[in-house]
Every structure is written in structure tokens, then in C-alpha cells.
């Protein structure tokens, strides 16, 4: 943390005072808290969540570290993107790389290609199996469509399967019967970024509703560290249609959605002349869409079935590689209460079909055009003492043809105890796995950092030395065994708390080991023919993926919510994650990392029924692996409903600094970019 001695620290301390000043209301004006806030403190604790065990349960009763980002949170802070909304959740590391790329992780192991965080939208996986991560630039549904975002810190593998190792994010959109009528939404900032959207919904007969939207967004350039444009401007068009039908208590939802756009960047590329690396402007062409069908069929008061079928298509053309992927997915679940047991069981299958293309930098060494996954799970919630003590036992079995193991076993045991009506303590132990990606098994990347020039102490060759990675067809799944304890509840009707502590032990983590040295452009091994260096323009030291590291992450998260007055709420959270990797020479760990300490302070004030003011202060600790200093960020958002149907909002992001270094892509493919301060105006008209 910082004191108030330096000029920069004075700005931080001044912002803390401002946060309190603009939030301290002179009087309550006589309205009730429920009139002013969508959710009171008591209602926040009792929010219904579904992502922990695939059934509806109170947040207060869950046996996981869960945080819910509501639509009210999103509107109060003027949030226009999903990654920005995720910054509200304690325990998540959310850093911006450039205007359209993000590094997001939970409880350590952050990075642009973070591979231990499972992200879903309405239960539909957004995880990309070619490199085990999420392309956040295209996960941008109309923000008003989101009902809530459920964030699980810690493994969720027993319910969601492999890759839910450190956390699960489930973005849940609104039913089409939630909003009737239409709205037109637009916004801009002085630098030229803008967005426009329209949506409309209504009834289709007595038992069906519909809603559709179109949205266009543009982002503008940030700056490189030398002050030049980062060429990271972007644009994206998206359209969607959803219908919901209820027939004899059975529910059916169908969503079809598509997008197209371009994502700019400045790429670090090898150059044959000094300094042997150049900044090359480029862009990714992106397009895709999906069809999702979900259903729920009640059989009795104690039994129901549900499931979903989805087809996803994505196509990305970039300077590094191209990927065209179609994913077919089906899942079914059944829930039944039998005596003191509540059983949930089901299974699913997923087929990914790929068409991958490489470049001078990325080469795929084996043609993998399909990936098939099948799974089954069983979970039993056992009431040991009514309304006081319960035990959850569960296991998921999964077969993934990218994994060398036939069956991945992911069990969990969770205990919940209510020492008092308003307090719940819980403990859990879970085994989770991260299955190999195509990049782990069958890729060759020629540049994962700046090349070393001739004469460098670490370069024994007379030509530039580049570093690259090589896939390993025998790469195995990474394993996490997580031990968690937590407690949540209400001290008073105006004050709630949520605390979680954890120790996560890892085995078979991904590392790099020396494999070969290639002379380019011939591609000859210098180990087999040392004289190939004479005719080479550069050499590449190839490091193969291996599973030669163990380690742990230990830490905790604390969140407090305080309803100071009917019109004023304060929220605070602090999290700590200490990562340690144990790797034997000559293996080198490559796990991307996040900050140890993070803090989040929010003030939400409604001085008038038509006016709300939100202030948000974040602290992010240094990231030595990334050579990123610690920093504070501050946002302010003012929202005014000045007459029926019209809402106007003004805000400023990154108020404390002109530009901030937040993160660098861990493989050095994006030139380091500073995220600039921005101001904006948003307008919405509803009819």
C-alpha cells in the first residue's frame, strides 16, 4: 500500500477523501432502501445462484467462495464490457493489456492465455481448446442483457468439468420476459470511442416472449510506452434474438446470436536487422455466432430435468495464426430429492472441429482437426442436521481425447455449518485438472520474447538467437487439489461479510525444457549439424512443453458491505494470493502470474430518486514477473434519469493517471501498451 508522502500518493489519498465526501449524504430524504437500491444488504446475502451446484440455492448457503455481480452493479458504475465488470469481484485478477486484450485469472496464474479459469455464458463454454483460454475481445454481449455474473473463486470441476481449476465465471443473461418494450442506447468519449445499440421485446401469444438487439462498438488507440499509437483500435457488430416459452410449467429458451469485427494491435515481430525486433501494426478479423437451446421440465415438487444443446462457430484470422472452429455440445441433468438426500446427476458430450492455420511465427506440427469430450457427474447433498449441518459429495468423470489419460476423475467433498441463523461456515476439498490444449501438444512458436543479438553474453552464436516453444504430444493434464474454508453472513441488517481462505496444491504444471536449436531459414538442427549456423540468418532455441513443476497458491479474500444510510452504501474487498513454483533444472516454469495484493473500494450514493453517484477505487500490487509497478485506479460515474424513459450518464475512468501499464502479454507477442484515461457520455431512451 502507499502513504500520502509523494505527489502520486497525494492524488490517491485525495481520491479517498473525495470518495467519502461525494458519498456522505446530508440526509436520507425519507425513502426506503429498497426504493433506492435494487438489492438491500439482506437481499444481497440471499441472492439465488445456480453455478455452484447446477441448482438454485441461496448465496448464503453455498459451500464455495462466490460473488455475484448484478445488473444494478453494472449500471451504477457505467460498465460497458464484461472484463470491466469482472473487476468488481474480489479474488479475480483483471488487467488490461491493450484496448481489446485482457489478462484475467482467479487466485493466481493470470495472463492473456490464462488456462485455469473456465468462463461460460448461460452455461455455454467460452473456453478455447486450441490454447486453453478465452478471447475476451469477442465476449461482449449487450451489457443490458446481463442479469448477473456468478464468479466462483476456487475449483468448480465436479460440476463443470476440466479447466475449472482456479475458478468459474458464468455470465447469465436475462429471460426475454424480463424486459418488455424497447430501448435505444448510445455513448461516446472525447477521443472517438463510441457505441450504439437498440433492443426490443414483447409477447408471442400467451405463453411466449421474445427480445432482440443489435449493437455496434468502436474502441480507439491507446499508446505504446514511447508515446506512439498502439494501433489497438477495434470495432465489433453483434446481433441477437431470444425467445422464451412456458408450456405446462416446462420452460424452453432459444438464443441465436452472431458477431463480426476487427481487433487492432501492435505485434512484436522478429526482424533480420538490428535491433532484430520490430513493432508491426496489424489486426485480427473475427466473426462467429451460436445457437443455444435450454429447457427445464418439472416432474414433481421434488424432481425435475434440464439440459441444453448448443452449436458455436468462431473464425479468427490474425498475423500469428488462424482458427476456424465449430463446437457441438449437449448436456442433460436430473435433480431429485430422496429423504435427506438431494441428488443431481447428468452428463454431456462436446465435439470441437478445427481448421487451424499457421504463419512464419506459429506452426502446427500435427494436424488435429477434432476434439471429442464426454462426461458424467453425480452430486449428493446430504442433510446431516436439518437447517444446521450438511455434507456434499460429488464426482465428475471425463474423457478428453486430447488428454493421454483415459478418464479424468474430479471429486469434491464440502461441509456446511450454520452456527447461527445469519451465519454460515463451510469447508471443501476438491481435485481439478487442466487438460492439454492443441498448443501444448502440436505447435511450434518461433518467438516468445525479444531475440538476443550477436555478442550478447547469453547468445553463443554469430547470428540473432530467438526463443521458441515446441509442443509435446505426451503432455499431461495439470492437477490442482484445493483446500478451502470460509464464512459469510450478516453482523447486522446493514453490515454483511464474506471471508474465504485457501491452499491450492499443484502437480504436473507446464514447464519448458531445452529440446533443439534450429538454423533458419533452412530449419536444420544445429545439434545434428553445427555448421548450419554459418549460412543461417538466425537460430531458434526450441523449448519443449513438459510437466516438470509443482507448486502452490495460498491466500484469502475478504468482502464487506455496509448500508451506511438508506441512500448510501459502502463496499470493500481485499484479496491476497501467494504463488510458489518448484521446478528442477533444466526445466523453466512459464506460468503467468498476477498481483499478490488487490483492494477494491466502492461508494454508491443516491442523493435523489433520479440521481446516483458511484465512486470506485482499486489498488493492484506490483507484478515482478511482468515488470509492472503497483498502481491505484479510480473511476467515477454519475447517472441521471431526468425524465420518463431517458437516462444520461457521465463518467471518467483511470482518473489518477494519464496512462497506466497494467499487464504485458506473457509470450511477448503484443508490444507493451499503456491504458489511457478516458471520459464518456452515455444516453439511453426506453419506450
Amino acid at each position: 500500500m502507499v502513504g500520502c508522502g509523494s505527489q502520486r500518493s497525494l492524488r490517491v489519498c485525495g481520491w479517498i477523501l473525495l470518495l467519502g465526501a461525494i458519498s456522505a449524504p446530508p440526509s436520507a430524504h425519507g425513502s426506503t432502501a429498497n426504493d433506492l437500491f435494487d438489492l438491500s444488504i439482506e437481499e444481497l446475502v440471499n441472492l439465488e445462484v445456480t453455478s455452484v451446484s447446477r441448482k438454485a440455492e441461496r448465496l448464503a448457503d453455498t459451500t464455495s467462495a462466490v460473488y455475484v455481480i448484478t445488473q444494478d452493479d453494472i449500471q451504477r458504475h457505467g460498465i460497458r464490457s464484461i472484463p470491466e465488470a469482472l473487476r468488481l469481484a474480489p479474488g479475480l485478477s483483471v488487467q488490461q493489456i491493450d484496448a481489446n486484450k485482457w489478462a484475467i485469472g482467479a487466485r493466481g496464474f493470470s495472463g492473456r492465455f490464462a488456462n485455469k479459469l473456465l468462463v461460460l455464458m448461460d452455461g455455454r463454454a467460452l473456453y478455447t481448446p486450441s490454447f486453453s483460454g478465452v478471447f475476451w475481445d469477442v465476449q461482449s454481449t449487450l451489457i443490458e442483457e446481463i442479469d448477473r455474473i456468478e464468479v466462483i473463486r476456487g475449483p468448480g470441476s465436479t460440476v463443470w468439468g476440466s479447466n475449472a481449476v482456479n475458478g468459474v465465471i458464468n455470465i447469465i443473461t436475462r429471460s426475454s420476459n424480463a424486459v418488455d418494450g424497447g430501448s435505444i442506447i448510445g455513448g461516446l468519449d472525447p477521443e472517438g470511442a463510441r457505441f450504439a445499440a437498440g433492443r426490443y421485446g414483447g409477447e408471442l401469444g400467451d405463453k411466449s416472449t421474445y427480445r432482440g438487439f443489435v449493437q455496434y462498438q468502436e474502441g480507439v488507440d491507446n499508446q505504446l510506452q514511447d508515446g506512439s499509437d498502439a494501433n489497438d483500435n477495434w470495432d465489433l457488430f453483434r446481433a441477437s434474438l431470444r425467445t422464451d416459452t412456458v408450456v405446462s410449467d416446462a420452460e424452453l429458451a432459444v438464443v441465436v446470436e452472431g458477431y463480426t469485427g476487427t481487433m487492432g494491435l501492435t505485434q512484436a515481430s522478429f526482424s533480420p536487422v538490428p535491433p532484430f525486433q520490430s513493432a508491426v501494426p496489424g489486426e485480427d478479423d473475427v466473426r462467429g455466432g451460436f445457437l443455444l437451446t435450454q429447457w427445464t421440465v418439472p416432474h414433481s415438487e421434488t424432481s425435475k430435468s434440464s439440459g441444453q444443446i448448443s452449436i458455436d462457430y468462431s473464425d479468427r484470422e490474425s498475423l500469428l495464426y488462424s482458427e476456424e472452429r465449430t463446437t457441438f455440445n449437449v448436456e442433460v441433468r436430473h435433480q431429485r430429492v430422496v429423504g435427506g438426500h438431494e441428488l443431481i446427476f447428468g452428463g454431456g458430450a462436446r465435439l470441437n472441429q478445427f481448421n487451424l492455420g499457421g504463419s512464419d511465427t506459429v506452426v502446427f506440427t500435427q494436424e488435429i482437426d477434432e476434439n471429442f469430450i464426454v462426461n458424467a457427474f453425480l452430486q449428493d447433498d446430504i442433510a446431516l442436521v436439518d437447517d444446521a449441518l450438511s455434507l456434499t459429495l460429488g464426482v465428475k468423470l471425463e474423457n478428453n481425447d486430447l488428454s493421454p489419460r483415459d478418464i479424468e476423475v474430479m471429486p469434491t467433498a464440502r461441509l456446511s455449518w450454520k452456527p447461527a441463523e445469519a451465519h454460515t461456515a463451510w469447508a471443501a476439498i476438491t481435485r481439478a485438472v487442466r487438460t492439454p490444449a492443441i498448443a501444448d501438444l502440436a505447435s511450434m512458436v518461433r518467438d516468445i520474447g525479444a531475440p538476443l543479438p550477436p555478442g550478447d553474453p547469453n547468445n553463443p552464436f554469430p547470428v540473432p538467437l530467438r526463443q521458441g516453444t515446441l509442443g509435446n504430444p505426451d503432455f499431461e493434464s495439470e492437477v490442482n487439489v484445493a483446500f478451502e474454508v470460509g464464512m459469510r453472513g450478516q453482523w447486522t441488517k446493514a453490515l454483511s461479510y464474506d471471508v474465504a481462505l485457501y491452499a491450492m496444491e499443484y502437480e504436473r504444471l507446464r514447464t519448458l525444457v531445452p529440446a533443439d536449436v534450429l538454423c533458419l531459414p533452412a530449419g536444420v538442427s544445429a545439434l545434428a549439424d553445427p555448421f548450419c549456423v554459418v549460412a543461417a540468418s538466425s537460430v531458434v532455441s526450441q523449448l519443449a512443453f513438459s510437466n516438470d513443476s509443482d507448486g502452490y497458491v495460498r491466500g484469502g479474500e475478504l468482502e464487506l458491505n455496509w448500508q451506511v444510510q438508506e441512500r448510501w452504501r459502502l463496499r470493500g474487498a481485499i484479496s491476497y494470493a501467494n504463488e510458489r513454483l518448484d521446478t528442477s533444472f533444466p526445466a523453466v516454469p512459464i506460468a503467468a502470474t498476477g498481483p499478490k495484493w488487490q483492494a477494491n473500494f466502492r461508494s454508491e450514493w443516491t442523493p435523489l430518486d433520479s440521481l446516483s453517484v458511484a465512486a470506485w477505487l482499486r489498488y493492484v500490487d506490483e507484478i515482478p514477473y511482468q515488470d509492472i509497478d503497483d498502481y491505484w485506479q479510480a473511476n467515477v460515474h454519475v447517472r441521471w434519469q431526468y425524465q420518463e424513459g431517458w437516462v444520461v450518464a457521465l463518467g471518467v475512468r483511470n482518473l489518477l493517471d494519464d496512462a497506466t501499464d497494467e499487464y504485458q502479454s506473457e509470450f511477448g507477442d503484443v508490444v507493451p501498451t499503456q491504458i489511457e484515461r478516458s471520459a464518456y457520455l452515455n444516453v439511453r431512451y426506453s419506450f
Side-chain angles (χ1 to χ4, degrees):
M1 298 294 192
V2 299
C4 293
S6 67
Q7 182 177 358
R8 180 171 180 271
S9 300
L10 281 170
R11 282 188 290 171
V12 173
C13 296
W15 174 256
I16 294 173
L17 293 174
L18 176 62
L19 186 148
I22 66 174
S23 303
S27 64
H29 291 281
S31 297
T32 67
N34 287 341
D35 291 332
L36 304 174
F37 294 96
D38 283 358
L39 296 170
S40 67
I41 294 295
E42 188 172 6
E43 289 170 324
L44 282 171
V45 173
N46 291 305
L47 276 172
E48 185 178 273
V49 297
T50 59
S51 300
V52 176
S53 57
R54 301 292 282 264
K55 67 174 184 178
E57 57 185 327
R58 293 194 317 149
L59 174 61
D61 297 333
T62 59
T63 53
S64 290
V66 185
Y67 186 84
V68 180
I69 301 166
T70 67
Q71 178 64 213
D72 182 57
D73 296 329
I74 291 170
Q75 293 297 326
R76 283 187 172 275
H77 291 276
I79 292 169
R80 296 305 315 172
S81 73
I82 292 171
E84 188 182 0
L86 294 177
R87 286 179 158 168
L88 296 170
L92 284 188
S93 172
V94 183
Q95 319 302 333
Q96 194 166 358
I97 297 172
D98 68 9
N100 55 73
K101 298 173 190 63
W102 297 77
I104 301 179
R107 294 181 170 177
F109 295 101
S110 186
R112 181 187 177 196
F113 302 105
N115 55 25
K116 296 176 178 60
L117 179 67
L118 186 64
V119 183
L120 311 111
M121 184 174 292
D122 294 323
R124 179 178 58 87
L126 307 182
Y127 199 81
T128 304
S130 60
F131 72 89
S132 296
V134 176
F135 283 119
W136 288 104
D137 51 5
V138 297
Q139 310 309 331
S140 58
T141 190
L142 181 65
I143 205 75
E144 284 79 8
E145 291 292 288
I146 295 174
D147 179 69
R148 64 191 186 276
I149 303 175
E150 297 180 3
V151 178
I152 302 172
R153 291 112 53 197
S157 52
T158 303
V159 170
W160 296 106
S162 60
N163 308 320
V165 177
N166 284 19
V168 177
I169 296 171
N170 193 8
I171 304 153
I172 300 171
T173 61
R174 292 178 168 185
S175 168
S176 60
N177 59 28
V179 179
D180 193 16
S183 58
I184 299 172
I185 311 156
L188 54 86
D189 71 30
E191 299 299 321
R194 58 193 176 209
F195 76 91
R199 66 172 177 169
Y200 191 82
E203 296 182 352
L204 290 170
D206 295 335
K207 299 180 179 180
S208 299
T209 56
Y210 73 94
R211 187 169 70 251
F213 74 81
V214 294
Q215 176 179 247
Y216 178 76
Q217 299 169 280
E218 283 185 351
V220 295
D221 292 328
N222 285 281
Q223 66 183 31
L224 301 179
Q225 291 179 333
D226 63 5
S228 61
D229 281 347
N231 192 54
D232 55 346
N233 58 306
W234 59 276
D235 64 84
L236 192 69
F237 175 80
R238 182 179 294 269
S240 178
L241 178 65
R242 172 173 180 150
T243 64
D244 291 87
T245 303
V246 178
V247 180
S248 301
D249 295 328
E251 300 176 3
L252 174 67
V254 179
V255 185
V256 59
E257 191 164 313
Y259 64 86
T260 182
T262 58
M263 302 292 158
L265 78 160
T266 297
Q267 181 175 305
S269 297
F270 174 75
S271 172
V273 298
F276 305 110
Q277 191 175 51
S278 60
V280 178
E283 64 181 24
D284 292 359
D285 293 321
V286 297
R287 64 191 63 85
F290 68 88
L291 172 65
L292 171 67
T293 300
Q294 296 178 313
W295 66 88
T296 301
V297 180
H299 306 296
S300 67
E301 291 184 357
T302 59
S303 174
K304 68 177 180 179
S305 299
S306 59
Q308 66 181 52
I309 297 174
S310 64
I311 303 173
D312 263 277
Y313 173 78
S314 65
D315 186 7
R316 178 178 292 262
E317 296 280 347
S318 71
L319 293 175
L320 289 178
Y321 81 109
S322 63
E323 176 184 355
E324 186 178 8
R325 174 173 54 89
T326 304
T327 300
F328 305 89
N329 187 71
V330 58
E331 298 178 27
V332 291
R333 299 174 297 279
H334 184 74
Q335 180 178 341
R336 179 181 294 271
V337 177
V338 182
H341 300 257
E342 185 170 2
L343 296 170
I344 302 176
F345 54 90
R350 181 179 305 159
L351 173 64
N352 295 301
Q353 295 181 329
F354 300 95
N355 184 8
L356 300 171
S359 65
D360 291 340
T361 303
V362 177
V363 177
F364 291 97
T365 58
Q366 178 186 349
E367 184 176 351
I368 299 178
D369 54 13
E370 281 192 352
N371 166 223
F372 184 67
I373 306 167
V374 62
N375 67 77
F377 77 95
L378 171 65
Q379 182 171 285
D380 186 6
D381 293 341
I382 308 166
L384 302 177
V385 178
D386 287 345
D387 299 323
L389 186 66
S390 65
L391 174 66
T392 298
L393 300 174
V395 65
K396 185 146 196 167
L397 306 177
E398 182 175 289
N399 175 261
N400 184 334
D401 58 19
L402 290 182
S403 175
R405 296 177 180 266
D406 291 334
I407 299 291
E408 298 286 2
V409 181
M410 292 164 277
T412 191
R414 298 176 176 272
L415 188 68
S416 174
W417 174 48
K418 293 180 69 68
E421 178 61 30
H423 304 271
T424 301
W426 59 273
I429 177 172
T430 308
R431 182 183 190 269
V433 301
R434 197 278 291 187
T435 52
I438 292 177
D440 298 317
L441 303 170
S443 71
M444 181 172 64
V445 181
R446 287 179 175 164
D447 292 291
I448 58 170
L452 300 178
D456 187 282
N458 295 312
N459 179 8
F461 302 102
V463 293
L465 174 62
R466 303 155 70 178
Q467 284 193 328
T469 61
L470 184 65
N472 176 5
D474 296 322
F475 187 84
E476 296 190 67
S477 298
E478 299 175 308
V479 178
N480 170 27
V481 178
F483 304 87
E484 304 174 89
V485 295
M487 192 164 183
R488 64 172 63 88
Q490 288 182 262
W491 278 315
T492 68
K493 287 188 176 181
L495 183 64
S496 69
Y497 68 95
D498 193 337
V499 61
L501 302 173
Y502 60 87
M504 302 198 295
E505 307 293 329
Y506 296 88
E507 297 177 356
R508 304 200 302 261
L509 288 174
R510 186 172 61 177
T511 55
L512 291 171
V513 295
D516 202 352
V517 178
L518 296 182
C519 296
L520 297 181
V524 177
S525 170
L527 301 181
D529 179 13
F531 294 102
C532 71
V533 175
V534 177
S537 60
S538 65
V539 295
V540 178
S541 173
Q542 289 191 315
L543 304 171
F545 291 123
S546 62
N547 298 93
D548 294 327
S549 182
D550 297 332
Y552 65 76
V553 181
R554 294 170 186 167
E557 302 110 8
L558 170 65
E559 178 205 354
L560 297 173
N561 287 319
W562 181 23
Q563 190 82 43
V564 184
Q565 294 184 4
E566 289 176 334
R567 292 180 176 265
W568 182 28
R569 178 184 297 163
L570 292 177
R571 297 184 176 189
I574 188 167
S575 62
Y576 175 76
N578 182 30
E579 303 175 42
R580 178 173 176 176
L581 302 179
D582 296 320
T583 308
S584 300
F585 181 83
V588 178
I590 59 170
T593 188
K596 281 188 178 181
W597 288 99
Q598 294 188 98
N600 201 323
F601 307 101
R602 289 188 280 156
S603 174
E604 299 165 349
W605 176 38
T606 306
L608 303 170
D609 291 347
S610 59
L611 182 67
S612 67
V613 181
W616 181 8
L617 181 67
R618 299 172 56 240
Y619 172 77
V620 180
D621 200 3
E622 64 178 351
I623 309 176
Y625 172 82
Q626 291 278 318
D627 196 27
I628 299 293
D629 294 332
D630 66 326
Y631 60 89
W632 290 86
Q633 282 189 348
N635 300 343
V636 63
H637 180 75
V638 180
R639 186 171 179 265
W640 178 35
Q641 184 170 344
Y642 73 95
Q643 65 180 43
E644 185 70 26
W646 286 92
V647 175
V648 177
L650 296 166
V652 179
R653 297 187 181 94
N654 203 8
L655 191 63
L656 298 176
D657 290 300
D658 294 336
T660 304
D661 290 307
E662 293 192 19
Y663 210 85
Q664 299 176 18
S665 183
E666 56 267 33
F667 287 110
D669 55 315
V670 179
V671 175
T673 302
Q674 295 185 316
I675 308 304
E676 298 182 56
R677 175 188 297 146
S678 63
Y680 59 87
L681 166 69
N682 296 339
V683 178
R684 183 173 73 203
Y685 173 64
S686 301
F687 55 92

